[in-house]
Amino acid sequence: MSLVAPQKALPFSSRGICFVISAPSGAGKSTIANALRASQANLHNSISVTTRKPRPGEVDGIHYHFLTQEKFEQQAAEGALLEWAMVFGRGYGTPRAPVESNLAAGKDMIFDIDWQGHRQIRKALPNDVVSIFILPPSLQELERRLTARAADKPEEIAKRMAAAKDEISHWHEFDYIVVNNRLDGAIQEVESILRTERLRISRQNGLEQFIAGFES
Ligand code: ADP
Ligand code: 5GP
């Protein structure tokens, strides 16, 4: 016999979170974000638009919406992007419509965007953003990871290493810092931030009615 009384479903739902993960390129944010997407069924992905070319294995509409420069500029001008920025000389941006519909439905979303995008999205949605900055254990390890990923040419890796210190200089604009030394530890830390933020009083709709039930 179970000693735990069966629980009724609680009568309140959580407001959606915009979970932003940023890092210098190669620190491991895509790896961590993918692990989170796999373990958190209710975390919806924001699929960015970009003018960069697909890497081997990248699929249009899954990893990015790959756009021409002309189409990107058109979307930015029409206000179809919630935020956009030039990163490593290419355009990147977050489509506005899916964010608005997911937030309205109380669904959490994950954004893999740079510090410029984080700044804009925080300004647009100040109550909904929770942000994490991922650091590598060292710049040497960052370069090793960029090289081991074997996704970019040496000149592209050099561009990303040159930009790393500038990206890192924005660390204080974020809510949390996670150092991605051991991957499993970093994933656990990021998961625990998400779990904790879901419990914030401001995100739990219907708490007042629920607690009023204790007083009647
Ligand atoms: P980002 O999305 O930040 O550019 P990735 O997630 O693509 O970085 O990671 C860059 C490379 O580093 C990948 O080859 C990935 O497998 C590897 N990597 C990620 N985290 C770790 C870690 N903690 N230890 C060692 N290698 C890692
Ligand atoms: P990559 O080319 O490695 O996929 O991404 C390069 C950089 O662009 C990363 O720092 C990534 O976070 C950033 N990025 C990806 N999508 C967006 C986006 O929609 N907006 C902004 N501002 N940055 C993005």
Side-chain angles (χ1 to χ4, degrees):
M1 195 186 82
S2 168
L3 293 176
V4 181
Q7 296 286 306
K8 278 199 284 185
L10 296 177
F12 47 91
S13 59
S14 178
R15 249 171 82 93
I17 296 176
C18 288
F19 205 51
V20 174
I21 304 195
S22 299
S25 182
K29 74 180 166 318
S30 307
T31 308
I32 292 171
N34 287 339
L36 220 60
R37 286 176 191 117
S39 71
Q40 311 282 315
N42 49 354
L43 194 57
H44 293 254
N45 202 12
S46 169
I47 302 169
S48 296
V49 297
T50 182
T51 63
R52 84 150 162 76
K53 298 276 170 287
R55 293 186 182 129
E58 283 185 333
V59 179
D60 188 36
I62 294 183
H63 299 93
Y64 280 103
H65 300 288
F66 295 98
L67 301 185
T68 60
Q69 181 68 28
E70 192 187 14
K71 188 91 182 123
F72 179 83
E73 284 174 12
Q74 187 190 335
Q75 291 199 1
E78 285 169 353
L81 304 178
L82 180 61
E83 61 77 29
W84 66 269
M86 298 302 291
V87 188
F88 312 126
R90 300 286 183 187
Y92 291 82
T94 302
R96 181 188 297 275
V99 180
E100 289 181 347
S101 59
N102 277 319
L103 271 188
K107 293 175 184 164
D108 295 341
M109 291 194 81
I110 184 161
F111 300 78
D112 174 344
I113 61 179
D114 83 328
W115 67 270
Q116 304 172 85
H118 168 246
R119 216 182 240 187
Q120 294 172 58
I121 216 168
R122 182 175 280 285
K123 198 168 168 203
L125 304 165
N127 299 321
D128 301 309
V129 169
V130 173
S131 63
I132 302 185
F133 195 74
I134 308 283
L135 283 174
S138 65
L139 284 181
Q140 289 76 3
E141 174 62 8
L142 184 70
E143 187 160 20
R144 193 199 66 74
R145 287 182 192 172
L146 278 172
T147 309
R149 183 166 69 181
D152 299 305
K153 298 198 176 94
E155 55 271 27
E156 181 68 27
I157 292 176
K159 213 193 264 183
R160 288 171 184 242
M161 281 307 292
K165 282 189 190 161
D166 180 54
E167 182 83 28
I168 291 170
S169 74
H170 295 278
W171 64 273
H172 57 281
E173 296 175 24
F174 291 77
D175 297 315
Y176 297 93
I177 295 279
V178 168
V179 178
N180 178 19
N181 189 11
R182 281 201 44 201
L183 181 60
D184 52 354
I187 292 169
Q188 277 173 24
E189 286 176 3
V190 172
E191 281 175 349
S192 60
I193 292 168
L194 180 58
R195 271 199 297 274
T196 306
E197 287 286 346
R198 280 178 172 151
L199 293 175
R200 269 191 194 277
I201 286 177
S202 59
R203 295 212 169 85
Q204 296 194 53
N205 295 327
L207 266 185
E208 282 184 17
Q209 297 93 300
F210 179 63
I211 288 162
F214 291 99
E215 288 156 4
S216 56

